[in-house]
Amino acid sequence: ISADTGLARAGRVPAVIALEAAAQTAAAWEGLRRSREPGGAGARVGYLVAIREVSFFTADIPVEMPLHATIELDGLALPLTHYAVEVALGDALVLTGKIATVLAGS
């Protein structure tokens, strides 16, 4: 997360921003999954449509530090996809929870 972001204050941003890292990780996985299908459909526009059971382990996180987001497929009923997510900063958890995405035009 860039120090130039408008949400940064004193070198920190709200931890809720880490949900975006999880959503972007899900988008990358979905693009890879689709590219491996017969016909190589590739990436599509998707939207984050649900956030559930999220636990934050910190109120804010430092800028300019690498985050590590992991996702695990929790359910798939296209165009809706559910993921269990986890975001960490080094060895410290930032958040865990579940998100759902939907592919546009499906």
Side-chain angles (χ1 to χ4, degrees):
I1 300 166
S2 171
D4 295 335
T5 183
L7 298 173
R9 298 290 180 263
R12 301 186 75 78
V13 293
V16 70
I17 290 175
L19 281 169
E20 179 64 17
Q24 291 294 328
T25 302
W29 179 84
E30 181 63 30
L32 286 171
R33 183 190 71 78
R34 291 180 56 78
S35 71
R36 293 179 179 151
E37 289 179 342
R44 304 238 339 248
V45 172
Y47 299 97
L48 179 63
V49 295
I51 301 168
R52 295 188 180 98
E53 302 172 24
V54 175
S55 295
F56 290 94
F57 300 95
T58 184
D60 54 30
I61 54 178
V63 297
E64 304 295 342
M65 297 292 293
L67 293 173
H68 182 81
T70 58
I71 62 163
E72 182 177 335
L73 184 63
D74 201 35
L76 178 68
L78 293 176
L80 190 62
T81 309
H82 295 266
Y83 303 95
V85 301
E86 181 177 288
V87 180
L89 181 67
D91 292 334
L93 277 176
V94 174
L95 67 86
T96 61
K98 296 184 179 197
I99 63 172
T101 62
V102 66
L103 292 175
S106 291

